[in-house]
């Protein structure tokens, strides 16, 4: 992959990470990209860098267009190290005239790299920077998803360089949305939103409102990960509007783990009740589904059921992992219930209910506990729980 022009005199010069499989708890099973953009203007400007091990790839791409020492400006839209890991080395090479960052970006740069004499220039929302033929308008996007995050908008190109927002962890040789499967692209975008941005949904709502008020003319969105939206950037903006308002479907995710199949059998009986009610069901066994894929399915589900047998007076570690992760992401406007088998104490349902209370999930049933192995009566109770949850999901 070489440098690639995305707009006249605006080039993708980033790096493709085909092999990353874990992004602090998020399964990047199709890799990712670290997008970096070079604007060739009177002031040659580089927007964001890449993760440290990919510095040479970035330099190779820049060299296809210009001598890196000719770069005048660096714009640091986000300081997380997947975009800034090679920043100190790049600054040594480039010796930029100025480095632009948000006020929180300056603090983050100081805390990460402890620089002594970097030519930092703080910009705020509404500030503009002339590069010659092109102009950069800055927009702080605090907590999307770090305090320092910001957008850079180039009106002459109707181009929004959006940092992490609107991104996807997906490594491809293609660079644009219209060159890949739209369904797969949206799956990756949803996974990215669910696992990184769901917690910040109120901020996303405010940002979308602000962008609408600013009446920005956008015909391309270039995020720092994955594909660039050129065919229909409105599609991802609309999706963010839906996800940030917790728009959901008549769909229930049943997440469970099992010790000797009793809890798995309960899950199946519950699913049959849900199906009788005509709602969509996703069965997700924690032994074979990654937490980040489960959270992705929960993003647009109205209901979620958690199943775990009791182990040592608690729940199985896989369920504790999932619930801890999910609680941090703050899902909203869901109904839920818990279930699980037990031998002699049976605290798992109580603990799962505790997590649901903490998350604000509307617990519509105290939950079902089954001693050792379910009976036909127990299966009926599980089926009835499926009916109850299915009806609640249809009513909401
Ligand atoms: Fe892609 Fe928040 O870094």
């Amino acid at each position: 992959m070489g440098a690639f022009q995305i707009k006249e005199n605006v080039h993708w010069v980033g790096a493709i990470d085909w092999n990353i499989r874990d992004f602090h708890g998020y399964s990047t099973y199709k890799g990712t990209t670290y997008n970096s953009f070079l604007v060739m203007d009177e002031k040659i400007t580089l927007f964001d860098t890449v993760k440290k091990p990919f510095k040479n790839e970035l330099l190779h791409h820049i060299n296809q267009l210009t001598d890196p020492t000719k770069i005048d400006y660096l714009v640091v839209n986000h300081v997380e190290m997947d975009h800034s890991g090679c920043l100190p080395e790049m600054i040594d090479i480039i010796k930029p005239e100025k480095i632009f960052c948000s006020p929180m970006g300056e603090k983050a740069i100081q805390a990460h790299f402890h620089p002594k004499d970097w030519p930092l220039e703080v910009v705020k929302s509404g500030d503009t920077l002339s590069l010659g033929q092109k102009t950069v308008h800055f927009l702080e996007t605090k907590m999307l998803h770090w305090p320092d995050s910001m957008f850079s908008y180039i009106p002459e190109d109707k181009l929004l360089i959006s940092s992490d927002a609107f991104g996807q962890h997906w490594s491809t040789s293609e660079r644009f949305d219209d060159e890949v499967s739209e369904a797969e692209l949206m799956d990756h975008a949803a996974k990215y939103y669910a696992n990184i941005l769901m917690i910040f949904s109120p901020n996303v709502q405010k940002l979308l409102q602000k962008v609408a008020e600013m009446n920005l003319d956008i015909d391309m969105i270039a995020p720092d990960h994955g594909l660039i939206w050129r065919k229909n950037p409105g599609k991802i903006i609309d999706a963010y509007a839906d996800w940030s308002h917790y728009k959901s479907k008549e769909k229930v995710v049943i997440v469970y783990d099992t010790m000797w199949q009793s809890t798995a059998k309960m899950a199946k009986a519950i699913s049959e009740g849900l199906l009788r009610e005509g709602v969509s069901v996703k069965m997700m066994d924690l032994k074979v589904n990654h937490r980040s894929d489960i959270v992705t399915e929960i993003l647009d589900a109205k209901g979620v059921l958690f199943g775990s047998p009791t182990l040592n007076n608690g729940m199985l570690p896989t369920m504790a992992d999932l619930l801890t992760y999910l609680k941090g992401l703050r899902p909203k406007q869901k109904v839920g219930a818990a279930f699980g088998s037990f031998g002699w104490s049976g605290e798992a349902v109580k603990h799962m209910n505790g997590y649901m209370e903490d998350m604000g999930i509307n617990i519509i049933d105290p939950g079902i506990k089954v001693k050792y192995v379910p009976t036909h009566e127990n299966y009926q109770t599980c089926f009835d729980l499926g009916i109850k949850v299915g009806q609640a999901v249809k009513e909401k």
Side-chain angles (χ1 to χ4, degrees), residues 245-263:
H245 285 92
Y246 310 103
K247 193 170 172 185
S248 55
K249 300 174 183 164
E250 289 182 359
K251 165 183 162 186
V252 176
V253 180
I254 304 178
V255 192
Y256 66 96
D257 199 351
T258 195
M259 207 184 293
W260 294 108
Q261 296 303 312
S262 289
T263 301

Side-chain angles (χ1 to χ4, degrees), residues 177-217:
D177 55 349
D178 51 279
E179 298 173 316
V180 298
S181 150
E182 183 177 275
E184 186 170 3
L185 176 63
M186 292 310 293
D187 284 347
H188 286 293
K191 181 170 181 175
Y192 191 94
Y193 188 93
N195 286 274
I196 295 176
L197 294 169
M198 179 156 55
I199 179 177
F200 302 118
S201 288
N203 306 59
V204 175
Q205 289 175 22
K206 283 184 201 146
L207 177 69
L208 292 180
Q209 195 176 344
K210 191 169 179 180
V211 169
E213 285 165 8
M214 290 168 75
N215 212 18
L216 297 182
D217 194 2

Side-chain angles (χ1 to χ4, degrees), residues 326-342:
L326 181 63
K327 183 179 160 186
L329 291 167
R330 299 185 202 161
K332 296 272 183 285
Q333 300 176 21
K334 314 264 181 223
V335 298
F339 61 96
S341 66
F342 71 102

Side-chain angles (χ1 to χ4, degrees), residues 13-249:
V13 289
I16 304 178
D17 188 347
W18 297 96
N19 297 325
I20 187 170
R21 289 294 178 269
D22 176 79
F23 206 100
H24 39 65
Y26 176 143
S27 71
T28 48
Y29 63 93
K30 286 203 172 176
T32 193
T33 69
Y34 311 111
N35 296 339
S36 181
F37 303 98
L38 187 70
V39 174
M40 298 297 292
D41 205 336
E42 288 162 34
K43 291 292 186 185
I44 299 177
T45 303
L46 181 65
F47 291 79
D48 293 319
T49 62
V50 298
K51 200 173 175 182
K52 191 168 181 163
F54 295 86
K55 180 198 72 181
N56 285 346
E57 206 166 318
L58 171 66
L59 277 171
H60 174 60
H61 292 153
I62 293 170
N63 265 304
Q64 292 170 349
L65 299 160
T66 185
D67 180 338
T69 61
K70 293 199 163 48
I71 293 174
D72 301 285
Y73 295 159
L74 285 180
V75 174
V76 179
N77 279 322
H78 180 31
V79 184
E80 190 164 9
M81 287 202 233
D82 48 333
H83 310 291
S84 73
C86 68
L87 188 61
E89 293 165 84
M90 289 300 291
I91 289 170
D92 279 349
I93 294 165
I94 294 170
K95 297 188 175 41
E97 184 185 329
K98 289 179 181 173
I99 303 166
F100 297 91
C101 59
S102 69
M104 295 305 287
E106 183 189 28
K107 288 185 169 62
I109 285 172
Q110 297 292 356
H112 276 76
F113 306 112
H114 323 292
K116 291 194 170 56
D117 54 1
W118 288 4
L120 295 173
E121 193 97 0
V122 170
V123 288
K124 296 179 179 169
S125 285
D127 287 352
T128 60
L129 170 68
S130 174
L131 306 183
Q133 303 301 310
K134 300 176 194 284
T135 321
V136 186
H137 292 225
F138 296 104
L139 174 61
E140 291 169 73
T141 58
K142 282 182 190 168
M143 300 320 298
L144 289 177
H145 68 125
W146 273 24
D148 59 281
S149 303
M150 72 174 181
F151 286 174
S152 297
Y153 173 65
I154 301 177
E156 293 82 1
D157 293 319
K158 302 179 185 178
L159 170 64
L160 182 68
I161 299 175
S162 63
S163 187
D164 276 337
F166 310 120
Q168 330 91 45
H169 285 312
W170 189 14
S171 55
T172 55
S173 55
E174 294 75 17
R175 297 274 60 81
F176 293 109
D177 55 349
D178 51 279
E179 298 173 316
V180 298
S181 150
E182 183 177 275
E184 186 170 3
L185 176 63
M186 292 310 293
D187 284 347
H188 286 293
K191 181 170 181 175
Y192 191 94
Y193 188 93
N195 286 274
I196 295 176
L197 294 169
M198 179 156 55
I199 179 177
F200 302 118
S201 288
N203 306 59
V204 175
Q205 289 175 22
K206 283 184 201 146
L207 177 69
L208 292 180
Q209 195 176 344
K210 191 169 179 180
V211 169
E213 285 165 8
M214 290 168 75
N215 212 18
L216 297 182
D217 194 2
I218 298 169
D219 77 2
M220 184 181 287
I221 298 177
D224 274 0
H225 295 289
L227 282 300
I228 295 165
W229 305 88
R230 77 170 169 189
K231 181 185 171 196
N232 183 8
K235 186 165 183 74
I236 189 64
I237 292 175
D238 290 346
Y240 269 48
D242 287 349
W243 294 328
S244 65
H245 285 92
Y246 310 103
K247 193 170 172 185
S248 55
K249 300 174 183 164

